[in-house]
Structure formats: structure tokens, C-alpha cells
Amino acid sequence: SVIRDAVGELRTLGVLKTRKSVGLLVGEPDPIALFEKAFEISTTQMMPLKDVAQLRYTLEIGSIDAAVKEATAEEIAQLADLAEQFADRAAHPSSEESHSVDSVDLAFHRMMLQCTHNDMIIRMHHVVTAYFGRISGEFNGWLANSVTDDHAIWQHRAIAAAFAKRNVEAARSLLALHLAGLADEVEHADNETS
């Protein structure tokens, strides 16, 4: 029945829980799990890329202060390494490596948010990047094509350097510049598919 299905969904989300001999109780839902479920539903309805790009922009720019301040020396070294991996793969692109460029780019952005040491932020970013990964394939590697230029290579390296210097303002400005270019590409891809 409709009510049974609704109760089942609410249990899946953690909003309701069942206890033997007691019945239904209000649960303690995980807000990120709710976000993940809602986002999964939205993406199956092909949420416009520009909406997802705005969410990603807001999440990353809003988290950069904490990321720069809380990053460990090891995380900063990993970020610099990912910037170099991105540069190497982007400088020598091939059709077989377009996915590889995308995965290194997204790993770089995940690492920045992991530097916040905030589980909610990290989990939200995984949902967004999973969507970008799927969309990249659907648009024949448009993400790889959009980020594999000298500017993107320089931006990744400069962001990593700003982390190393603990320069929040520089990191925020560079990230905003980097994501603004991606937002333009997303809008272009959205317009081409409309």
C-alpha cells in the first residue's frame, strides 16, 4: 500500500525506526544521508549541470578557509602531488586518459575538502563529484576537455602553493577563478544539450 511504502522509505532514510513490541518511533536521521538520497533522486531527473556547479562552487569556496587552516603537512603534500599528476596528464592528453585527467582533478578537489576534517563537508562533496563523473561520460569527456589547458595546470599548482603558505585569501581567489571557468563550461554544455 501507499502508506506501507512511505513508512518503508522513511525507515530507509532513518526518519522512522521500528522496535519490536513498541511499533514506529521517530528516528535520528543522518542529515547527509538525507541529502545523498535527495540528490540521487534529483540527478536521476537530470538536474541541470549549472545547478550542480553552483552547489559545488558554494561548497568548495565556503570550505576553503577551514581547509587551508586545518590541513596537515601530509595533506598539503598530497595536494601538491595531485596538482603535479594533473599537470602531467593534462599536458599529455589522449582520448584514453581523459577519464584519468577527470579523476585526478576530482581527487584534487576532494583532497581540499578533506583538509577541513569535517565529515559532513567531505560526504557532501563525494555526492557532487560522483554526479560530475557520471555526467563527464555522458557529455563525451567535456569535463576533461574543459580543464586540460595551461590555465588549469597553473591554477592547481597555485592553489596547492597557497595551501603550503597557509594563505587563505590566495587559495580562495585562485579557487574562485578555477571554478568560474568550470561554471562557464558547464553552462556551455547545458546550452548545447538543451
Side-chain angles (χ1 to χ4, degrees):
S1 78
V2 174
I3 293 174
R4 188 176 316 139
D5 292 344
V7 168
E9 269 305 306
L10 291 172
R11 265 191 279 166
T12 301
L13 295 173
V15 175
L16 295 177
K17 58 185 177 181
T18 308
R19 269 213 193 128
K20 206 171 193 174
S21 303
V22 176
L24 285 175
L25 300 171
V26 175
E28 295 178 28
D30 176 355
I32 300 301
L34 292 171
F35 173 79
E36 289 170 340
K37 186 70 171 172
F39 200 81
E40 181 183 312
I41 291 166
S42 295
T43 58
T44 61
Q45 297 171 1
M46 292 307 294
M47 175 187 282
L49 279 174
K50 66 181 181 177
D51 292 352
V52 181
Q54 281 181 323
L55 175 61
R56 180 181 179 188
Y57 182 92
T58 301
L59 179 63
E60 290 191 26
I61 294 295
S63 302
I64 197 71
D65 290 35
V68 172
K69 291 175 185 173
E70 300 296 325
T72 65
E74 181 181 309
E75 289 167 334
I76 291 170
Q78 287 176 317
L79 201 59
D81 182 58
L82 287 166
E84 290 309 313
Q85 287 180 44
F86 177 84
D88 183 53
R89 293 179 187 172
H92 306 99
S94 73
S95 59
E96 297 163 0
E97 288 188 358
S98 67
H99 177 71
S100 177
V101 172
D102 288 348
S103 63
V104 172
D105 183 41
L106 293 175
F108 180 89
H109 289 271
R110 274 193 205 108
M111 176 53 66
M112 281 193 302
L113 294 200
Q114 285 175 357
C115 291
T116 67
H117 300 268
N118 181 317
D119 188 50
M120 290 181 70
I121 292 170
I122 294 164
R123 287 175 60 199
M124 287 178 70
H125 195 259
H126 284 293
V127 174
V128 175
T129 57
Y131 179 69
F132 269 96
R134 192 181 88 221
I135 291 301
S136 175
E138 291 176 20
F139 286 109
N140 297 321
W142 70 266
L143 180 58
N145 294 332
S146 71
V147 297
T148 54
D149 61 11
D150 291 338
H151 293 292
I153 292 170
W154 174 82
Q155 289 165 351
H156 283 85
R157 287 176 169 160
I159 291 168
F163 266 75
K165 294 177 183 174
R166 304 285 183 180
N167 188 332
V168 173
E169 292 301 319
R172 186 184 310 111
S173 297
L174 290 161
L175 182 59
L177 177 67
H178 177 65
L179 293 177
L182 181 60
D184 291 344
E185 290 293 330
V186 166
E187 184 137 354
H188 179 72
D190 261 351
N191 291 338
E192 284 185 0
T193 59
S194 302

